[in-house]
Each structure stands twice: as C-alpha cells, then as structure tokens.
Amino acid sequence: MPESTELDLKLASGTVHARRWGPTDAPLALCVHGLSANAHAFDYLAERIAGPGRQLVAFDLRGRGRSEITPPGSYGLTSHAQDALEAATLLGADRFDYLGWSLGALIGITAAGLAGERLRSLTLIDHIGTVDPAAYAAVRAGLNRLDAVVDDPADYLAAIRGAGVVTPWNEYWDRIYRYELGERADGRYSPVTDKAACIEDLAAASTGEVTGAWAKITMPALLLRATVPFGGSGLVVSEADAVALRRAAPGLRVLDVERNHFGIITDDGVVAAVGELLG
C-alpha cells in the first residue's frame, strides 16, 4: 500500500493543502472531492491505484479541511476549476487525469470547458450537474453537522454514522470526518470546514449551468453512477440524465454502481473501472 505525503500548494486564489501518493515524476491523476468533504475522500482509491508508474494527488478545496478559507464570493465552479488547473501546473503536469466526486465532478466538467486539452481523461463520480431536488435537500441538511461542537471526536463520528446516510461505513469514513475536526481554545472540537463556503458552492452547483459544458467532454471519460438513493432521497444522477450526457459526449462510458452517493467512493468496482481508464 503506497504511503502518502502532505504538501501545500500556493495558488493565486489561496493556499490549498494536498496529499500525494506515488512518485513525483509519475503521470499525475488529480482528485477533487465533494461539497463538504476533503482530500481523504480519495484515500481508498489512491491506496489501490497509485504506484511506481502513477501518482495521485488529492487536495482540500478552499474552505475545507486544511486549505485556506477565502472571502465570500471567491468560490464557485469556475474558480475551483481554475484552482485545479493551476494545482496541476504547480505539480509539473501540463496534461493530467482528473477524478472528481460529487461537486468535484462538476468542477471537472467546468475544467473540461476551460482547458479540455489539458485533461488526459475525466472521471465523474456520481454528479453531472442535474439532480433530484430531494437529493439536494438531503445534501443541504447534511451541512448542519458543520455547526457541531463536541467534547470527543468519537461523538462526532458516532452521530454521522448513526444518521445512516454514509453506507457502508468503514475506517475511511472515520478518516474523512475526523480530519475535518479541529481543537478549539476551550479543548472541545468543531469542524474546520467553512459552512458558508459550502453553501456558496451548493448554490453554484444547483443552477445546472455546468450542463452547457457537457459537449466539451471529448477526452476519454467515465461516469460512475450510484443507483441506490441516499438518506431517503432520490438519485444524484438519474438514468435519463446519464443518457442525456452520453448524447452530448458520445465517447463517455457509463458504469452503474449499486451503492449510494457516499458508498460509491469506497467501492472495489469503482477502483477497477478507474484503474482501467488510467491504464
């Protein structure tokens, strides 16, 4: 299992914290997480895909994890896509593979619209820019955890696990949610992820404007679509929407995965499909 190293990337928009698996001179796969997640969301994939001939780098979006919280109005899909492209440049990659989960997938589509020639491949994990309103409501409700203050990180993890939305639960979810906690001056713990940044990005993602860039997906591409509703809500990507995306991007491969929006990120079938695309 490859070990990871941590690094900071000083972008024009702010400093972002990143994790790298694999050698620095290997072809780059850049990984971008979901709305209120962090770079640890790609631990499962990276530990199984990175190796001597492949490096994976995942970074905390601004306002999340250990990355800088920037002013209101500085977020949004285009701004994050520019961050991703600049991060790849700082990592020495003119062309790179892009993997995005949830909001990260929308950022990837936006990057394809801005500089598609730089993307060697594009992996979209359970988001394409259209969504069931009930699923969006569930995502918005999930942001309320960012208001929590706890005496023990274990209590925070237990509350998230007990909600039953993140399934199947495993040690990787412990990592993701423990990482988002910081110790306060009073010795208690609260999330360091900025709720306002997440709300700003959720509003940007809900417009559906990113669908206008679907036709820019001309590089080898893969959509991994979760087929299990989460939190009593609908699907993030319906079958009809996946068909519409394929009409706009005929070269795209669609793989249905019998997981929900969260479980898909630690699925072995997903690992295999991504590994096949990256080569």
Side-chain angles (χ1 to χ4, degrees):
M1 183 180 297
E3 296 292 328
S4 66
T5 57
E6 299 190 34
L7 63 153
D8 288 321
L9 299 170
K10 297 187 182 300
L11 309 179
S13 60
T15 300
V16 297
H17 189 70
R19 300 172 63 81
R20 174 193 276 125
W21 296 260
T24 60
D25 59 350
L28 172 67
L30 190 67
C31 307
V32 183
H33 61 75
L35 180 67
S36 63
N38 54 65
H40 279 287
F42 284 93
D43 284 8
Y44 192 90
L45 271 165
E47 290 174 4
R48 289 157 178 79
I49 292 176
R54 172 70 60 187
Q55 66 164 317
L56 272 75
V57 175
F59 68 93
D60 297 333
L61 291 170
R62 284 179 291 109
R64 284 77 163 177
R66 303 298 182 265
S67 289
E68 185 176 344
I69 296 174
T70 52
S74 65
Y75 299 96
L77 298 178
T78 298
S79 183
H80 288 308
Q82 290 169 338
D83 283 357
L85 294 167
E86 185 181 357
T89 299
L90 292 178
L91 292 165
D94 180 50
R95 300 191 74 235
F96 60 99
D97 300 290
Y98 183 102
L99 285 71
W101 169 46
S102 196
L103 178 72
L106 305 191
I107 294 168
I109 296 172
T110 305
L114 294 174
E117 71 281 358
R118 294 194 62 190
L119 304 190
R120 195 164 39 235
S121 71
L122 176 63
T123 297
L124 308 173
I125 305 176
D126 207 39
H127 210 346
I128 60 173
T130 57
V131 73
D132 185 306
Y136 257 91
V139 170
R140 177 63 179 82
L143 296 179
N144 291 332
R145 77 177 192 282
L146 300 177
D147 298 322
V149 179
V150 296
D151 294 320
D152 187 335
D155 296 334
Y156 184 72
L157 299 181
I160 296 171
R161 182 174 185 174
V165 175
V166 179
T167 59
W169 190 275
N170 53 47
E171 64 168 302
Y172 291 89
W173 294 106
D174 286 335
R175 294 186 198 179
I176 292 167
Y177 290 114
R178 178 63 183 86
Y179 175 77
E180 78 178 14
L181 290 176
E183 188 171 3
R184 297 158 32 114
D186 62 3
R188 303 181 78 198
Y189 296 85
S190 62
V192 296
T193 290
D194 187 59
K195 186 177 182 181
C198 296
I199 292 173
E200 184 174 327
D201 280 334
L202 183 61
S206 67
T207 65
E209 291 179 6
V210 73
T211 61
W214 282 359
K216 300 294 186 179
I217 304 175
T218 57
M219 66 293 297
L222 171 67
L223 168 63
L224 297 156
R225 187 179 79 94
T227 61
V228 177
F230 71 99
S233 65
L235 298 173
V236 176
V237 181
S238 71
E239 184 174 2
D241 288 337
V243 170
L245 174 60
R246 283 208 66 190
R247 282 199 297 266
L252 176 96
R253 177 191 175 203
V254 179
L255 178 65
D256 288 349
V257 182
E258 196 175 352
R259 298 284 194 184
N260 75 8
H261 185 67
F262 294 92
I264 196 171
I265 202 68
T266 59
D267 180 79
D268 287 335
V270 166
V271 172
V274 171
E276 180 181 349
L277 179 65
L278 297 185

